[in-house]
Amino acid sequence: MIHSLFLVNASGDIFLEKHWKSVVSRSVCDYFFEALERATEPENVPPVIPTPHHYLISVLRHRIYFVAVIQSEVPPLFVIEFLHRVVDTFQDYFGVCTEAAIKDNVVVVYELLEEMLDNGFPLATESNILKELIKPPTILRTMVNTITGSTNVGEQLPTGQLSVVPWRRTGVKYTNNEAYFDVVEEIDAIIDKSGSTITAEIQGVIDACVKLTGMPDLTLSFMNPRLLDDVSFHPCVRFKRWEAERILSFIPPDGNFRLLSYHVSSQNLVAIPVYVKHNIIFREGSSQGRFDLTLGPKQTMGKAVESVLVSSQLPRGVLNVSLNPSQGTYTFDPVTKMLSWDVGKINPQKLPSLKGTMSLQAGASKPDENPTINIQFKIQQMAISGLKVNRLDMYGEKYKPFKGIKYMTKAGKFQVRT
């Protein structure tokens, strides 16, 4: 199935490669580099690139491209899901998934990739199993391995590998028993000139951190489960129970894992949490233009809109800008024509605004279209879809665990057209 894996950094250099079958030449990545050059943005590289003898399937995470080389036709989503699992495993082991972290732990990386795929087919992808097979690196363990020449590979077969619940190891014990769930929603939207919503959808995930003794059986119910569409579950979830009762019933893995991901696409269900008032004017034959922008919260149920960052790609005819922000700071790059405004937190009593003039090229014609405005933001303790957890119950164990639920909404591709 998967012949080889190449890791490509933001500069376009291959800094790590792994082959499971025959060695595939690095030159196969030339097709990927051609697609990368044609892409307007890094994330716009096609996920599947056919070549005369191979298929290249890639994902972009943490500014690193993970490029898998396939010789026979396979379901692309199968490979993409595996690549995301590789990234999540690296993040779990090293804390971050960066080029530096991968290079610093290159031995552990190769050991993990050897266990995760067997002759090109996925074998052990569960974090619990991998951590028993290959111990996560620590400073002490690294020093001992350097002196003794030993490796991080465990000597015994993981207990979960032969179990009916392979995602959970046996004999788990904790002094403090706790289960935390994070409901994180990302809103993608395009707003037109008049403020109407052209398209809006929500991608949501529920991430869990479960540290419970023994073999607990959990049920998680929602106030409004019918909101959820196109749901993807962790293998631990009993799907029949969800279909019948819309209740999540599962024996959780030990530690961090993604319980489910979902999609909300019906526009009447998607609330837009911020609005933008804009007045961007370019006059024909004039050397000056006007730039007025005001942000405000909308449908946030009283929650604060934080970490707001506004960016806009101005036309090539703009030489410079002279703007006055009522809040935060702005930067303008005269070469790339990229305007960025770091707003911070929106105060509903005093709405942040950015106003001023643009210096335009003398004699330049009026731009064909006004620039689009991209907005990044976060809203704590709120799920924009209205999803709410009703209750979390535990069976099979006698102790009472500490339970916590946290909500967060953030912007994905949130674009306002002017």
Side-chain angles (χ1 to χ4, degrees):
M1 194 179 106
I2 298 177
H3 266 64
S4 304
L5 176 67
F6 294 95
L7 268 58
V8 181
N9 62 18
S11 309
D13 301 321
I14 298 169
F15 66 92
L16 188 133
E17 59 185 276
K18 167 71 179 157
H19 307 280
W20 283 275
K21 296 185 179 180
S22 53
V23 175
V24 177
S25 169
R26 281 187 171 198
S27 60
V28 76
C29 289
D30 290 347
Y31 295 96
F32 174 78
F33 293 133
E34 285 173 15
L36 183 59
E37 279 179 24
R38 286 195 299 269
T40 51
E41 291 181 30
E43 60 266 28
N44 289 347
V45 177
V48 181
I49 301 169
T51 75
H53 303 292
H54 304 89
Y55 293 97
L56 304 182
I57 299 179
S58 64
V59 299
L60 172 64
R61 293 274 300 270
H62 308 288
R63 302 184 70 212
I64 298 171
Y65 290 98
F66 291 75
V67 185
V69 181
I70 318 294
Q71 275 193 335
S72 56
E73 202 165 306
V74 297
L77 284 176
F78 190 75
V79 180
I80 287 168
E81 178 61 31
F82 174 76
L83 293 176
H84 281 299
R85 190 63 65 91
V86 169
V87 180
D88 294 341
T89 302
F90 288 171
Q91 209 164 352
D92 198 20
Y93 264 71
F94 314 134
V96 289
C97 181
T98 60
E99 184 181 352
I102 290 169
K103 284 179 175 176
D104 289 346
N105 299 282
V106 70
V107 174
V108 179
V109 166
Y110 277 109
E111 289 170 350
L112 283 169
L113 292 174
E114 198 63 52
E115 293 297 341
M116 292 182 81
L117 275 191
D118 181 28
N119 199 34
F121 289 86
L123 178 65
T125 57
E126 276 298 330
S127 181
N128 282 285
I129 291 173
L130 286 168
K131 281 181 179 173
E132 286 189 73
L133 280 168
I134 297 154
K135 302 286 185 284
T138 61
I139 295 171
L140 182 62
R141 195 173 286 138
T142 306
M143 288 172 63
V144 170
N145 290 350
T146 306
I147 295 163
T148 61
S150 56
T151 67
N152 287 2
V153 179
E155 294 177 0
Q156 292 180 324
L157 191 69
T159 52
Q161 191 83 317
L162 305 173
S163 159
V164 288
V165 280
W167 52 83
R168 187 173 181 86
R169 58 194 175 93
T170 56
V172 182
K173 286 185 180 175
Y174 286 103
T175 310
N176 297 320
N177 292 287
E178 49 198 21
Y180 299 107
F181 293 86
D182 288 354
V183 180
V184 181
E185 295 189 339
E186 198 170 88
I187 179 168
D188 299 331
I190 297 175
I191 313 298
D192 73 4
K193 196 173 181 178
S194 62
S196 304
T197 304
I198 296 173
T199 176
E201 58 181 31
I202 295 166
Q203 314 286 346
V205 297
I206 298 180
D207 288 328
C209 177
V210 177
K211 296 181 177 179
L212 299 174
T213 302
M215 195 67 78
D217 201 324
L218 303 181
T219 61
L220 187 71
S221 61
F222 301 99
M223 297 270 200
N224 39 8
R226 301 285 166 194
L227 281 175
L228 302 182
D229 187 22
D230 193 17
V231 188
S232 170
F233 298 105
H234 187 278
C236 69
V237 175
R238 298 179 179 101
F239 187 59
K240 285 266 191 324
R241 177 106 188 251
W242 169 260
E243 275 195 316
E245 302 173 44
R246 283 292 190 264
I247 288 175
L248 294 176
S249 171
F250 56 98
I251 294 172
D254 181 40
N256 297 306
F257 65 99
R258 177 153 292 173
L259 181 62
L260 69 96
S261 56
Y262 60 90
H263 184 79
V264 179
S265 58
S266 178
Q267 284 193 25
N268 56 353
L269 289 175
V270 179
I272 304 298
V274 295
Y275 68 87
V276 180
K277 287 181 180 174
H278 49 79
N279 185 26
I280 301 172
I281 300 169
F282 299 95
R283 291 189 183 87
E284 192 75 54
S286 173
S287 62
Q288 274 206 337
R290 186 78 196 154
F291 189 98
D292 287 0
L293 200 66
T294 305
L295 295 174
K298 185 174 79 168
Q299 296 175 304
T300 61
M301 294 187 282
K303 307 293 183 189
V305 184
E306 303 171 327
S307 307
V308 180
L309 181 66
V310 178
S311 61
S312 182
Q313 180 73 54
L314 297 182
R316 281 178 295 182
V318 178
L319 300 175
N320 214 331
V321 295
S322 175
L323 304 173
N324 181 29
S326 67
Q327 177 182 330
T329 56
Y330 81 91
T331 57
F332 176 71
D333 189 333
V335 179
T336 61
K337 313 297 183 190
M338 180 59 78
L339 173 69
S340 295
W341 177 28
D342 189 350
V343 182
K345 185 176 176 179
I346 294 179
N347 179 3
Q349 270 70 48
K350 190 185 176 189
L351 298 179
S353 63
L354 184 67
K355 297 181 179 181
T357 57
M358 298 178 283
S359 302
L360 308 177
Q361 217 167 355
S365 60
K366 188 180 174 183
D368 294 334
E369 54 186 34
N370 269 14
T372 56
I373 297 163
N374 297 301
I375 306 173
Q376 295 291 322
F377 57 81
K378 286 182 184 174
I379 306 171
Q380 301 288 352
Q381 292 306 321
M382 174 185 157
I384 196 73
S385 67
L387 184 71
K388 274 198 172 64
V389 172
N390 183 25
R391 59 182 295 158
L392 174 67
D393 297 309
M394 186 184 79
Y395 306 94
E397 298 291 340
K398 291 179 180 174
Y399 56 84
K400 279 192 174 180
F402 181 81
K403 299 174 279 192
I405 310 282
K406 192 172 79 178
Y407 300 91
M408 188 175 81
T409 297
K410 58 182 180 178
K413 288 188 173 180
F414 195 95
Q415 192 178 87
V416 180
R417 293 175 178 171
T418 65

